[in-house]
Structure formats: structure tokens, C-alpha cells
Amino acid sequence: PYTTLFRSEDIDYIHTGELMLFETNCLVLFYDDFSTNYAYTRIGYIENNDEIKNILGEGQVEVEFLLDD
């Protein structure tokens, strides 16, 4: 039933600030540019991401998404 929500595609190059879904249960926020052979579903991106790597640091990071009422 969820297959229509996921539009996985082969991604050749990842850009800093891109937000993607890996498989069906892993949300990934990228903070570096690199080439890849993996497939992701594009969700969105963060504009003005020059400082994202410094802000997030290294290792695992917890990010919270909130919806306005």
C-alpha cells in the first residue's frame, strides 16, 4: 500500500543539504557532497546549507521535524 509514496531512484551524486529516504524507513540528511551507487527517494533539501556540517558535527545526530498548526 505504501509503494506509491516511495519513488526510489538511482542517485549518482549527493549534495550537501539533501533530504532523502533510504529504502522505506530511513530518513537521511546529507551534510557532504559525494558520488553514490545507492537508490533513494528524494524528499527535499535545506537551502543555505554552508554551515550544516559545522552545525551537525560528526557522528549520529538527532533531528526533530515539527509541523505548524
Side-chain angles (χ1 to χ4, degrees):
Y2 297 110
T3 56
T4 57
L5 298 175
F6 308 113
R7 300 272 193 262
S8 183
E9 61 183 279
D10 291 333
I11 306 291
D12 294 327
Y13 199 79
I14 301 288
H15 299 278
T16 301
E18 288 187 307
L19 183 63
M20 297 190 197
L21 184 65
F22 180 67
E23 296 186 351
T24 60
N25 62 354
C26 183
L27 188 62
V28 183
L29 174 61
F30 293 96
Y31 56 94
D32 212 350
D33 298 336
F34 61 94
S35 57
T36 183
N37 295 323
Y38 288 101
Y40 294 92
T41 299
R42 293 181 187 275
I43 302 294
Y45 62 94
I46 296 177
E47 295 179 344
N48 303 324
N49 56 44
D50 297 336
E51 293 293 320
I52 196 169
K53 191 170 186 177
N54 292 333
I55 292 169
L56 295 178
E58 294 184 18
Q60 188 171 342
V61 176
E62 185 174 320
V63 177
E64 183 176 358
F65 294 94
L66 302 173
L67 297 174
D68 291 333
D69 290 335

